[in-house]
Amino acid sequence: MEEFDIQTVLTLGFAIAVVITIIKTARVVPQKSNFVIERLGKYSRTLDSGFHILIPFIDKVAYTHSLKEEVIDVERQTCVTRDNIQVGINGVLYLQVVDPHKASYGINDYRYASSQLAQTTMRSVIGQTDLDKTFEERAKINEEVVKALDEAASPWGIKVLRYEISDIELPLSIKDALEQQMRAERERRAAIAKSEGERQAMINVSEGQKQEVINLSEGDKMRQINEAEGRAREIELIAIATAEGIRQIAEAINHPGGSEAVSLRVAEQYVKEFGNLAKTNNTMIVPAELANIGGAVAGLTEILKIARPGAK
């Protein structure tokens, strides 16, 4: 019975030793991870993802590193701007291990060191920037912090990918002043927009009045042109009618009995106009040749004969 108990203990001990040996010997490295191996307390090699065999009790996994991008919250810190305004700034730092050997032996805690370095760099950058620029140039400030951090973290095997300012906290008095400034700016823009609208309205009204005057003048011009063309046409038609009448009279004179008819017509008109003259005037001057009406008519008849085509 005692021999059985000793054998059982030895068997269990041997099994435990085998299990420990297997655990110490076989290692599986996950994807996007690296194991730093030390042999007898000295750096030996870096294991990539996959299955690896170690020498039991001689090799050991000293450090494990994830090659994924890490996010580190940078605690709130008080910074003083170039115009002596205190602001509280929170940030977020994104970094990645690119050299596990340097990350293991280059610094004790690269996460803590990166966070502290980000705070000091941010204080330095904010100290060179006015308060207004901290809101307007966040991207530029982030770039400067990343540049400074990346240069400092290079010996640690760390790559600083980016830094983002998550929040900027201002003193209450500065908030009130900024709100008043923004309110004044909005009122100024509203006043400018209103004046621009009124100015545009006045321009539109004046343009409309100008176009109205132009249209009225154009209409008056066309009216005058039409009236002038109408009068010219009227004169032309009268002249044509007069010429046609004279032509017909001339043709009538050339016909047999035309001269006697003209003489009779002239005598009638002469007597008629003399009668009208007697009706409109109390005092009348009688020409000496009045008694010789027939002689006047005969003279006119003689003139018509001379003007007649073919007269000798």
Side-chain angles (χ1 to χ4, degrees), residues 234-245:
E234 180 183 3
I235 294 172
E236 181 182 0
L237 293 176
I238 292 173
I240 293 173
T242 304
E244 181 64 21

Side-chain angles (χ1 to χ4, degrees), residues 4 24 57 62 66 71 75 91 103 173 195 217 244 254 273 286:
F4 177 76
K24 292 286 187 179
F57 307 105
S66 174
V71 182
E75 296 181 358
S173 59
S195 63
S217 64
E244 181 64 21
N254 291 328
E273 293 300 327
V286 180

Side-chain angles (χ1 to χ4, degrees), residues 44-103:
S44 174
R45 62 190 184 277
T46 300
L47 302 181
D48 293 330
S49 58
F51 180 79
H52 301 273
I53 301 295
L54 304 180
I55 300 176
F57 307 105
I58 296 178
D59 293 339
K60 73 170 184 177
V61 178
Y63 301 96
T64 61
H65 294 286
S66 174
L67 302 183
K68 299 177 183 179
E69 185 175 341
E70 299 183 40
V71 182
I72 300 176
D73 184 23
V74 181
E75 296 181 358
R76 181 180 178 275
Q77 59 179 325
T78 301
C79 304
V80 180
T81 63
R82 187 167 63 178
D83 47 357
N84 297 322
I85 304 298
Q86 289 188 353
V87 294
I89 297 180
N90 293 50
V92 180
L93 182 64
Y94 298 83
L95 51 80
Q96 185 178 20
V97 176
V98 294
D99 191 336
H101 178 264
K102 292 181 179 180

Side-chain angles (χ1 to χ4, degrees), residues 129-201:
T129 309
D130 293 331
L131 178 63
D132 294 340
K133 298 297 182 181
T134 58
F135 297 97
E136 299 174 3
E137 300 181 356
R138 281 195 180 189
K140 182 178 179 181
I141 294 173
N142 294 336
E143 290 177 1
E144 293 182 4
V145 173
V146 170
K147 181 179 179 181
L149 286 175
D150 195 42
E151 291 177 357
S154 180
W156 307 339
I158 304 300
K159 176 66 176 177
V160 178
L161 302 175
R162 57 189 180 277
Y163 177 84
E164 297 292 341
I165 297 175
S166 59
D167 184 34
I168 299 178
E169 184 178 351
L170 300 176
L172 184 60
S173 59
I174 300 300
K175 285 184 179 180
D176 294 339
L178 289 177
E179 288 178 359
Q180 293 177 4
Q181 180 180 356
M182 289 186 291
R183 189 181 305 112
E185 180 66 19
R186 287 194 296 267
E187 292 175 354
R188 184 184 69 84
R189 292 180 180 178
I192 292 175
K194 181 179 179 181
S195 63
E196 287 291 336
E198 293 176 350
R199 173 176 172 270
Q200 189 62 41

Side-chain angles (χ1 to χ4, degrees), residues 3-24:
E3 292 180 359
F4 177 76
D5 292 338
I6 293 173
Q7 186 178 1
T8 302
V9 171
L10 292 176
T11 303
L12 289 175
F14 180 76
I16 292 172
V18 171
V19 172
I20 293 174
T21 301
I22 294 174
I23 294 173
K24 292 286 187 179

Side-chain angles (χ1 to χ4, degrees), residues 188-233:
R188 184 184 69 84
R189 292 180 180 178
I192 292 175
K194 181 179 179 181
S195 63
E196 287 291 336
E198 293 176 350
R199 173 176 172 270
Q200 189 62 41
M202 295 174 63
I203 291 175
N204 292 340
V205 171
S206 63
E207 288 291 338
Q209 293 175 349
K210 174 184 175 183
Q211 191 63 40
E212 181 182 3
V213 172
I214 292 174
N215 292 339
L216 291 175
S217 64
E218 289 290 337
D220 187 63
K221 174 183 175 182
M222 293 302 298
R223 180 184 60 80
Q224 294 178 3
I225 292 174
N226 292 335
E227 291 179 354
E229 290 179 351
R231 288 194 297 269
R233 182 61 178 169

